[in-house]
Amino acid sequence: MDNNALHTVEARIREQITAHCESGDVPGFVAGVCHAGEQTIVAHGTANAATGAPMRQDTGFLFGSVTKVLTTMLVLQQVDRGLLDLDTPVVKHLPDFALTVPGAADKILVRHLLSHTNGIDADLFFPVAKGRDALKTYITGLASSCGSMFEPGEQLSYSNGGMIVAGRLLEVITGTPFPELLERDVYTPVGMKDSGTSAEQAILRSTAIGHFPDPATGAARPTGMFMLPDTWGPAGGTPVGTVADLLALGRTHLAGGVSPSGTRVLSTGSTTLMQQVSYDMATPNVPPMGLGWVRYPFGDTTVLAMSGASPGGVAILCVVPEHDLVFAAFGNTPGAIMLQDRLLQQLLRERLGVRIPALITGVQQDVDLTPYAGTYRSDQLRIDVRVVDGQLEEQAAYEPADASQERVFTAFTGGMTAAPPQRYVPIRAGLFAPAGYPPETFDGYLRLLLVSYHDIRDGRARFRNGGGRLTRRA
């Protein structure tokens, strides 16, 4: 990319970010693009509405689930070193790993942790613990609190629990606490010089906090919780860094595991393995899963991506190997994902010339809705689905296991414990779109808003998939 083209990209991103920040949609936003060796970072707005601190190009933020790429890299480093095998049962190295379903944990392989095919039903399990034993505490809690949603390898369901188990597995294999391992084996060799894993580190430099829209006024109010407990570190609870750090990470994956400074971080084989399809649900709302990466198809172009929610904020990292491009961004309200999706599609269309076809090209008439009505559950989540006026109406509610779980969950969501009823219109059998959205909404990252139903048995769907996560018919 020549400098003139880079300036054009920068100007377009600045225009979009400025409009969103000044309209009040998001207090602050920072985004970066690296293409063909040239890099630009743009920031605008406020990093912290409580202090008025500005969002800067080097402002840090919580990575959220972008961390899952890092955790996967750490596991595959141990595979490269011969200390782990992806097809080994996790309990071989982690004998304390158990679930409430007898024998379920014994069937889970290391590979299942990274490909989100493990079936661990722990997506909202938030034990509170700090320090060196945090992940050990999480594993102990699984055995008494969390079950299994499906047989390992049978389905795909986005799994925070799987990544946290992988983090504890790494501690046992290496004898090193996860935060130290992350800093030593990923941050340092990649060149992520401003990244850390604690609020204590974050407070020493410019760091953004999350915000939620005030129910009464709509104005952004600061989060009451900066980060999730240490028990969620490997899934994305604690790592903090900058857009420049994420661009360096993305460039490492473009270069087959070699960092921008020339340091080999991961073998070419393992870097390639992360990018290959490990499981495909064959439904438009759930892109094929690699290891760590989600593979978003935009026509004939694949975008390796991972987004990450934190309390009141959302980060994203996208790598486009076919076009030597990395895009990273953070916005400090949950709705910032809308702007991130728009910027990504803009880059693909305008900068790379990618044709993005419509994901929804037609609507099937007279879809039988009866197989989908019913109650679906996963860890502390209940979704009631009923047929109303030729549509599905869903009512989701959080059902906390105890007061501690409720405190963490409500802080993470800005006080929400139940969503308002949502109507869904049928696209075809088993696939539904939220009512009122134009079809082009779902062409990009926001295809995750679609809902699908799977495994029809005796005229009833066994699973519901929303946002890549399964709930099972009760």
Side-chain angles (χ1 to χ4, degrees), residues 39 41 56-63 70 182-183 186-208 226-227 238-249:
Q39 182 166 303
I41 298 173
R56 308 186 319 193
Q57 292 180 17
D58 65 346
T59 294
F61 51 85
L62 284 157
F63 289 161
L70 308 173
L182 182 59
E183 184 167 343
V186 175
Y187 287 168
T188 298
V190 168
M192 301 170 71
K193 62 183 181 63
D194 291 317
S195 291
T197 53
S198 71
E200 290 82 357
Q201 291 169 308
I203 198 66
L204 299 177
R205 59 184 319 281
S206 172
T207 303
F226 175 57
M227 61 169 50
T238 57
V240 184
T242 63
V243 159
D245 289 343
L246 288 185
L247 292 176
L249 178 66

Side-chain angles (χ1 to χ4, degrees), residues 124-126 145 375-384 395-407 409-410 416-419 471 474:
L124 298 178
F125 179 50
F126 296 103
S145 303
T375 296
Y376 298 80
R377 291 182 181 274
S378 61
D379 177 47
Q380 301 175 73
L381 179 67
R382 171 183 173 137
I383 301 175
D384 291 308
Q395 174 70 65
Y398 172 60
E399 299 178 330
D402 55 46
S404 173
Q405 298 283 290
E406 185 173 18
R407 278 194 302 272
F409 177 82
T410 53
M416 291 283 290
T417 56
T471 45

Side-chain angles (χ1 to χ4, degrees), residues 69-262:
V69 175
L70 308 173
T71 300
T72 301
M73 292 170 68
L74 287 170
V75 171
L76 290 175
Q77 284 176 346
Q78 309 315 314
V79 173
D80 288 343
R81 293 165 186 160
L83 299 176
L84 264 181
D85 187 307
L86 290 177
D87 294 313
T88 296
V90 174
V91 292
K92 176 183 176 183
H93 302 285
L94 207 56
D96 293 341
F97 172 44
L99 300 169
T100 57
V101 178
D106 299 348
K107 304 174 187 177
I108 297 174
L109 309 180
V110 176
R111 183 184 302 277
H112 294 140
L113 301 178
L114 307 182
S115 62
H116 300 269
T117 56
N118 49 74
I120 299 170
D121 188 10
D123 212 46
L124 298 178
F125 179 50
F126 296 103
V128 177
K130 285 184 68 69
R132 296 179 71 93
D133 288 333
L135 302 188
K136 185 178 180 181
T137 299
Y138 184 93
I139 296 296
T140 301
L142 281 180
S144 58
S145 303
C146 298
S148 176
M149 207 168 341
F150 52 82
E151 289 288 311
E154 177 191 54
Q155 300 279 351
L156 170 69
S157 184
Y158 186 85
S159 176
N160 289 305
M163 285 291 171
I164 299 170
V165 172
R168 178 56 184 158
L169 175 64
L170 285 163
E171 291 186 332
V172 171
I173 291 290
T174 65
T176 305
F178 180 82
E180 294 177 23
L181 189 67
L182 182 59
E183 184 167 343
R184 185 189 76 195
D185 288 358
V186 175
Y187 287 168
T188 298
V190 168
M192 301 170 71
K193 62 183 181 63
D194 291 317
S195 291
T197 53
S198 71
E200 290 82 357
Q201 291 169 308
I203 198 66
L204 299 177
R205 59 184 319 281
S206 172
T207 303
I209 68 164
H211 302 75
F212 294 97
D214 188 281
T217 66
R221 57 177 174 80
T223 177
M225 177 176 69
F226 175 57
M227 61 169 50
L228 287 169
D230 288 1
T231 51
W232 267 56
T238 57
V240 184
T242 63
V243 159
D245 289 343
L246 288 185
L247 292 176
L249 178 66
R251 290 171 63 191
T252 300
H253 284 267
L254 283 179
V258 177
S259 75
S261 68

Side-chain angles (χ1 to χ4, degrees), residues 405-446:
Q405 298 283 290
E406 185 173 18
R407 278 194 302 272
V408 177
F409 177 82
T410 53
F412 180 69
T413 61
M416 291 283 290
T417 56
Q422 173 68 56
R423 292 282 187 92
Y424 287 86
V425 296
I427 298 168
R428 57 170 170 76
L431 184 65
F432 298 81
Y437 286 76
E440 61 269 20
T441 303
F442 313 111
D443 291 345
Y445 208 84
L446 296 182

Side-chain angles (χ1 to χ4, degrees), residues 36-60:
E38 297 287 343
Q39 182 166 303
T40 186
I41 298 173
V42 180
H44 191 85
T46 304
N48 184 335
T51 65
M55 187 75 84
R56 308 186 319 193
Q57 292 180 17
D58 65 346
T59 294

